[in-house]
């Protein structure tokens, strides 16, 4: 993992925990708030699976709760299920609660970046597209919360990694082109050598025939 990736990963983990720290609960419904706070404690204690189950149980009483969707997304992200986290962050990115909307958009960028890291070695174009989406989501977070320093920092880091991946992709394409040219030259050389070999065999065969004819002519004389 290169220096840019390491630097970003550190930011990614710390920011994700910071975003997850103020896990929201709606005080308007006391019972629901108790369920959410219980799930929050499970998540803070590291019991991610139990926390997800508790959030899902609470969501039966408040299926439209942006708080619950966001908190569940944080839990899924910590579990390592980036796809599930991305879907839930997307659902809360348009929340009327600016705090939730800003953090959801920021963490959508984190999901994009995590996906880019996974693809950076085997599929650089796909990784670049994910990084571009990450930048878009970080900028969207800044539209809601212009003071988000982490979003600004990660935009810069994602841009640097895009440049690096593009340079690596360019070098790979140049290397592949050089290998193809070298292979073509080798094939041409082999073809020319085969022609020369055939010509030599033909000359040798003709020489043998001429010699036989000469011997036959001498014998008849």
């Amino acid at each position: 993992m290169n220096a840019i990736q390491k630097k970003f990963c550190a930011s990614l983990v710390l920011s994700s925990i910071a975003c997850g720290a103020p896990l929201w609960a709606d005080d308007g419904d006391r019972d629901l708030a108790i369920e959410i706070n219980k799930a929050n404690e499970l998540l803070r204690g590291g019991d991610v699976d139990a926390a997800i189950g508790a959030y899902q149980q609470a969501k039966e009483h408040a299926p439209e709760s942006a708080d619950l969707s966001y908190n569940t997304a944080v839990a899924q992200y910590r579990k390592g299920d980036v796809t599930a986290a991305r879907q839930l962050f997307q659902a809360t990115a348009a929340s009327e609660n600016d705090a939730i909307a800003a953090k959801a958009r920021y963490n959508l960028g984190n999901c994009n970046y995590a996906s880019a890291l996974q693809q950076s070695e085997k599929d650089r174009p796909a990784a670049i597209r994910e990084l571009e989406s990450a930048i878009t989501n970080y900028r969207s977070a800044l539209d809601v919360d212009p003071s988000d320093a982490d979003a600004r920092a990660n935009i810069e880091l994602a841009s640097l990694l895009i440049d690096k991946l593009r340079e690596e992709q360019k070098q790979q394409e140049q290397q592949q082109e050089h290998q193809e040219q070298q292979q073509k030259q080798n094939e041409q050389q082999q073809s020319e050598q085969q022609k020369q070999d055939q010509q030599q065999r033909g000359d040798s065969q003709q020489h043998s025939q001429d010699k036989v004819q000469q011997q036959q002519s001498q014998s008849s004389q």
Side-chain angles (χ1 to χ4, degrees):
M1 185 178 290
N2 59 57
I4 296 175
Q5 291 173 330
K6 287 181 179 178
K7 187 176 181 182
F8 184 92
C9 284
S11 174
L12 181 69
V13 173
L14 292 174
S15 296
S16 177
I17 293 174
C19 291
L23 295 165
W24 286 275
D26 186 1
D27 293 331
D29 186 330
R30 186 173 180 276
D31 291 337
L32 179 60
I34 291 174
E35 290 186 31
I36 294 177
N37 288 331
K38 177 182 176 182
N40 293 351
E41 289 302 319
L42 289 168
L43 183 57
R44 291 191 182 100
D47 195 346
V48 179
D49 289 330
I52 292 174
Y55 286 134
Q56 291 174 343
Q57 184 176 355
K59 202 167 182 65
E60 293 178 2
H61 304 290
E64 303 300 324
S65 172
D67 304 336
L68 274 171
S69 293
Y70 177 85
N71 291 357
T72 306
V74 171
Q76 294 285 10
Y77 189 93
R78 293 185 184 179
K79 182 180 179 180
D81 192 342
V82 176
T83 300
R86 190 199 303 248
Q87 293 174 348
L88 290 166
F89 283 134
Q90 186 69 54
T92 56
S95 172
E96 294 180 358
N97 185 322
D98 286 347
I100 294 179
K103 296 305 181 185
R105 296 177 190 189
Y106 174 86
N107 280 326
L108 270 175
N110 287 352
C111 290
N112 291 130
Y113 197 98
S115 179
L117 290 182
Q118 293 175 351
Q119 300 183 72
S120 60
E121 295 297 329
K122 60 183 179 181
D123 191 346
R124 289 188 182 91
I128 290 171
R129 289 193 294 270
E130 286 286 0
L131 288 168
E132 290 171 342
S133 295
I135 291 173
T136 298
N137 283 316
Y138 291 137
R139 287 175 176 166
S140 181
L142 287 171
D143 289 339
V144 181
D145 181 10
S147 66
D148 192 337
D150 286 333
R152 294 185 185 279
N154 287 351
I155 287 173
E156 182 178 355
L157 291 169
S159 298
L160 288 172
L161 188 52
I162 286 175
D163 292 340
K164 185 177 185 301
L165 290 175
R166 283 177 174 164
E167 180 62 26
E168 290 177 351
Q169 182 69 18
K170 181 179 178 180
Q171 292 175 356
Q172 183 181 16
E173 290 173 352
Q174 289 176 342
Q175 183 179 6
Q176 183 177 357
E177 182 179 358
H178 175 73
Q179 290 175 345
E180 290 176 351
Q181 290 177 347
Q182 187 64 42
Q183 182 179 0
K184 186 176 181 179
Q185 290 176 357
N186 291 339
E187 290 174 351
Q188 289 177 343
Q189 290 176 354
Q190 290 177 357
S191 177
E192 291 174 359
Q193 185 63 44
Q194 288 175 353
K195 289 180 180 179
Q196 290 178 1
D197 291 343
Q198 290 175 353
Q199 181 65 37
Q200 289 177 354
R201 287 195 297 270
D203 292 344
S204 177
Q205 184 178 8
Q206 183 64 44
H207 177 72
S208 297
Q209 291 176 350
D210 291 343
K211 188 174 182 180
V212 169
Q213 290 176 353
Q214 183 179 7
Q215 291 175 345
Q216 291 174 348
S217 176
Q218 291 176 350
S219 298
S220 62
Q221 291 177 358

